[in-house]
Each structure stands twice: as structure tokens, then as C-alpha cells.
Amino acid sequence: MVNTSYELRQNWERAPVQIKRNFPRYYKILMSTPMLDKILRESYILFTKNIDITSYENGVRQTLNPSGRAIPSVVWDYYMNGCSVRMLNPQTYIPKLHLLNATLQEFFGCFVGANSYLTPPNSQGFAPHYDDIEAFILQIEGKKRWRLYKPRNENEYLPRYSSENFTQSEIGEPILDTVLNAGDLLYFPRGTIHQGETIDDTHSLHITLSVYQKNSWCDFLEKLLPDALKTATETNSEFRKGLPIDYLRDNGYTYSGIQNSTKTEFKEKVKDLFSKLIEYIDIDKAADLMAKNHIHDFLPPVLSDNELECSVVQDGERMIANGIVENRVEIEPDTRIRLLRSHCIRLIEEDETFRMYYSTENSKEYHEFELQFLDVSQEFVPAIREIILRYPEFIRVEDLPIDGEDNKVQIIKDLWEKCLIVTDNPLCVLE
């Protein structure tokens, strides 16, 4: 495992990595073909929203989705006729896959998505293309031949958007031609052109985990630079001075091949302003803006059995027969609490106010709900910062760095009700 981890780190965003395990059941806990059939029967699965029917034959890629619900007999009829079945976001319906993705989110610090792909024997469901994500292929059942190709040019290396479909003549020779068997893993960077086909009269079921979409330096700078320019413009009159009267007579497409002193001076002035702009960058603010997007993207955290018992999910008041409420609990000054997950909360200062964005009430369906937040009074900010900085350690309510026992209990109660914190033990029941 140490060597595997090292190999992935060394090749991250650089080159494919294949891991052969000789353990066909390694990923069976995540998904299976009977599980997919059960989801179709027990959940309201829609074509296009949840399921795609695809084919790729004789260089032609097609999506063959009918309208309405994906009835199992209809889906399997397409499959028997050589079509692939792609399920979008299967973690919505598979708890073990949700747990895997939610755990990986904390490691990568950004959303981890998934799609599953079921391909009938001796067929191919998708044309050669590249994606805008770092891909981890988990081979669940059967086998699949994968051919990977390097990006065609620098512009397609680590792309921000997925590609169109390519023809075979456009992509050259593969840099890797391999077969994944059940239990194997294949990683490849975004921008890697790829195509997969089933062979040897065998079907294939795999899951693609996707990570690092829109999580590049470019995305960070898109948050950083506009804010820096706004600040510079507000505080430095040099950025507000008028442009030279005649600058449009020397700059633009028509004048692009003409060099003169006026044009050189204009370019040097732009460089000078850019150099001054560096003084106004606020990296912390840009990081918060990135985190705010991630909070909205995230899957909700998955709680362990112990965390369930020590959180608002299972602890606290419950109703029994005859309308009686039992198990009344209360947070006390000596109650020990900690943040549920390091990535599930972000405290941000916006327009001289504080907001706490959180992901615990997100849906397993991507962006089903609006971004969730709580407004935070400035007097409570030190307490929330302390809880975040102490993670994963517990802290007593009475040790929070704000004044007043009632304030300390109240802020913890607010966090408790949003499932943002857990206690070290279930709360004591009131007599």
C-alpha cells in the first residue's frame, strides 16, 4: 500500500497508474449488477437524469435515452442489444459508495463524484474523448480493455472542460493499452484521451470516481485577482487614472503588427499596474471563496455508529406511544464537543458580517438544495474558530473563548442542531 500511494503521488496530474490486485471481489462491496437491478426496481430512476443508454459503433456515438422512468425490463432490453448503461451519481442510492466518496472528500478537499458504467460483452459505449477530472477507474465485475492517449497539444493538457468525441485518426497511438480485471484500479489525469471496450465475450461493470474538477491554480486566481483589482481601485488612485487619449490608435488587431514608442510605453504601464496589484491580493479571502463553492458541491458527511449516537441524529428527544416525548437532554458547560468533519464547515467574513457555510444538510443529489449557511454574531466568532482549529480534538463548552456561560451553551446548541458537532458521549438525560 505504501508503494501504491507513492506511485500515485509521483504520477498525479502526470501519467496513468494501473494497480493489479488479483482479488476479483475487492470492490464488490461497492456495487454489483444485481444491486443495479434492485436500484432500478426500488427507486424512481429517470432516463437522462439518472441513467444514460449509450452506444459507439462504426465511429458513431449515440445516446438513446427514451423519456420517463428507467424500468428494469426496458434498460436490460437495451443492454441485450449491445448498449451500455451509465448511471449518474450512484452514490445517491448506494450507502457504501456514499461513504467512500464522502471520506475521499476530506482527503482531497473537494467534491468526489462517481458514475457507474455497465457494458455488454464485445462492445463499446463511448467514443474516444478526454475529461476535465482526475479519474479513478474501479473495475467491479468482468474485464475491460482500456487504451489511453496523451493530450494532442499543450492546450489540452490538464483541461478545464471535457472534450468533444474524437475519431481514431485524430488521437494517434496509445501510450497505454491494458486490460482491467475485477478488483483492479486505473488512474489517469484529466486531459488523457481514453476509450474502453469489453473483450473475450465478457461484460464489464466499473465505477469512475472523479475528483479535482475546477480545482486548479486558474480557478483560485479567478477568485483572487478580481478582488485584488477591486481593492486596488478603491484604495489607490493610480488605478483610477484615465487612459491615454490616443491609446486606441496604437492598440488592437489592426495595429498588432506595428511597434512604436507610444505602444511600448502603454505596455510598460500595464506591467507596472500588474506589479502593484500584487500588494492587494488577499489569499485568505480567495481560499474562503473556493471553500464556499466546495461546501455547496460536497456530499453530506457519513456518520459512524458512535457519531450517530453522539449527535442530534440519534441523541436527544424522541417520541414514544401516546404522544409522550422522552430522552430530554441538555448541553452543559462540561459537555465535550468536536467538529464533525474538518471540511463540513467554513467561517467566512463577507461585507463586514460573518457567515458559517456548512454541508451537513446537503443532498446526495448534486446541488439539489441551495447553499446552506448561518449568520454568526461577531461575539460568537472566536468560539467557532476555536472549534475549527481544535479538530479533531474535543473541547469543553466552558473552555470556549467567549464571555458568558449562556452564550457558550447557545452557540453549541446551534451547531448541534445542524449536526455540525458531536459529543464524546451521548448527552445526559434530564430527570
Side-chain angles (χ1 to χ4, degrees), residues 223 227 230 282 284-296 345-358 371-378 381:
K223 307 293 186 187
D227 181 71
K230 180 175 180 291
D282 188 337
D284 292 327
K285 189 172 182 179
D288 281 340
L289 291 174
M290 290 288 290
K292 182 176 172 180
N293 286 349
H294 292 322
I295 288 285
H296 193 200
I345 183 174
R346 193 74 179 191
L347 179 65
I348 299 178
E349 184 178 10
E350 295 179 325
D351 300 324
E352 299 182 354
T353 63
F354 289 92
R355 280 183 172 176
M356 183 177 62
Y357 293 91
Y358 59 94
L371 182 60
Q372 302 295 305
F373 66 89
L374 290 173
D375 289 313
V376 180
S377 298
Q378 191 161 1
V381 167

Side-chain angles (χ1 to χ4, degrees), residues 4-195:
T4 298
S5 176
Y6 175 78
E7 188 173 4
L8 285 171
R9 286 199 306 272
Q10 289 297 107
N11 289 283
W12 179 255
E13 296 187 327
R14 292 191 182 96
V17 175
Q18 182 177 2
I19 298 171
K20 289 189 171 292
R21 289 198 170 90
N22 298 315
F23 186 4
R25 297 186 59 81
Y26 190 84
Y27 294 119
K28 289 291 283 185
I29 193 174
L30 295 178
M31 196 175 188
S32 66
T33 41
M35 191 184 299
L36 180 55
D37 183 85
K38 184 178 180 181
I39 292 170
L40 291 174
R41 295 181 188 280
E42 297 181 356
S43 302
Y44 196 79
I45 304 299
L46 295 173
F47 287 111
T48 303
K49 179 181 179 181
N50 308 116
I51 285 278
D52 285 326
I53 304 297
T54 70
S55 69
Y56 179 68
E57 193 172 6
N58 299 322
V60 178
R61 158 76 167 86
Q62 290 183 292
T63 298
L64 303 170
N65 294 342
S67 60
R69 183 178 177 182
I71 302 298
S73 61
V74 176
V75 174
W76 301 141
D77 183 62
Y78 276 110
Y79 174 81
M80 293 295 292
N81 282 281
C83 294
S84 292
V85 180
R86 172 171 64 182
M87 186 171 194
L88 310 173
N89 303 313
Q91 67 272 11
T92 305
Y93 306 96
I94 304 174
K96 292 292 185 183
L97 187 55
H98 175 203
L99 173 60
L100 173 64
N101 286 21
T103 303
L104 289 173
Q105 280 180 168
E106 187 146 12
F107 175 79
F108 285 109
C110 62
F111 175 69
V112 177
N115 289 333
S116 69
Y117 298 81
L118 176 62
T119 310
N122 308 314
S123 68
Q124 183 168 333
F126 295 86
H129 67 282
Y130 63 72
D131 295 312
D132 59 345
I133 48 92
E134 302 295 302
F136 292 87
I137 310 298
L138 314 183
Q139 189 69 31
I140 310 295
E141 294 179 5
K143 65 171 66 172
K144 200 166 204 177
R145 178 193 180 194
W146 285 92
R147 283 173 287 172
L148 308 185
Y149 308 80
K150 67 180 181 180
R152 299 179 303 170
N153 52 57
E154 173 65 20
N155 293 344
E156 295 180 356
Y157 178 71
L158 301 177
R160 301 188 71 208
Y161 304 99
S162 297
S163 74
E164 59 187 10
N165 294 326
F166 297 123
T167 63
Q168 202 65 44
S169 62
E170 293 178 296
I171 58 179
E173 294 300 314
I175 57 173
L176 180 66
D177 188 340
T178 189
V179 174
L180 285 191
N181 294 295
D184 293 349
L185 177 147
L186 177 64
Y187 158 78
F188 51 84
R190 56 195 188 279
T192 303
I193 300 170
H194 56 279
Q195 58 179 325

Side-chain angles (χ1 to χ4, degrees), residues 246-256 262-264 266-267:
D246 58 352
Y247 84 100
L248 291 177
R249 299 173 188 168
D250 296 296
N251 298 278
Y253 173 77
T254 302
Y255 310 98
S256 57
T262 304
K263 189 169 188 174
T264 300
F266 187 82
K267 187 174 183 178

Side-chain angles (χ1 to χ4, degrees), residues 319-325:
M319 179 169 282
I320 58 175
N322 302 315
I324 297 174
V325 176

